[in-house]
Amino acid sequence: QVQLVESGGGSVQAGGSLRLSCAASGFTDIRRCMGWFRQAPGKEREGVAWINSAGGTSYTDSVKGRLTISKDIATNTLYLQMNSLKPEDTGMYYCAAASEGAPCLRYKYVYTYWGQGTQVTVSS
């Protein structure tokens, strides 16, 4: 049974940092497309950062230079290092994993497995 469990969310002031973690189980490994999405109140869930099977990374424009996605194959853990946080980064952050061989894109339909989310709140 596949399970993704996020942790590390919290409340910070603008300019602060957080590190989100996503523990994956039920996979042989996480050498597949994985991503972080966020959903602000009243808004659609959007792709923030994604990492392909080879470790190549991509980001939505608004977070480039501030957020870094990475994964630890040995522990089956996905990370999102968040620096220089802004109030507009506030939202529920979700970890997601695609099926093996799926294209690695920013769109929700690519991802088969989802975590329950962790809340990030950035105050000005």
Side-chain angles (χ1 to χ4, degrees), residues 50-69:
W50 49 104
I51 183 167
N52 63 28
S53 58
T57 59
S58 299
Y59 302 90
T60 193
D61 286 346
S62 64
V63 307
K64 286 179 180 176
R66 301 187 298 115
L67 274 57
T68 303
I69 187 172

Side-chain angles (χ1 to χ4, degrees), residues 1-4 24-32 34 76 96-100 113:
Q1 180 182 351
V2 172
Q3 196 170 20
L4 301 174
S25 59
F27 293 132
T28 303
D29 59 52
I30 56 172
R31 288 186 181 90
R32 62 180 66 213
M34 297 193 71
N76 271 7
S99 297
E100 284 192 71
Y113 309 102

Side-chain angles (χ1 to χ4, degrees), residues 62-99:
S62 64
V63 307
K64 286 179 180 176
R66 301 187 298 115
L67 274 57
T68 303
I69 187 172
S70 61
K71 56 184 175 183
D72 184 335
I73 301 298
T75 61
N76 271 7
T77 305
L78 182 72
Y79 297 101
L80 185 68
Q81 178 65 45
M82 310 171 72
N83 298 328
S84 301
L85 283 163
K86 303 177 180 180
E88 51 263 45
D89 294 316
T90 294
M92 187 71 78
Y93 281 71
Y94 297 90
C95 168
S99 297

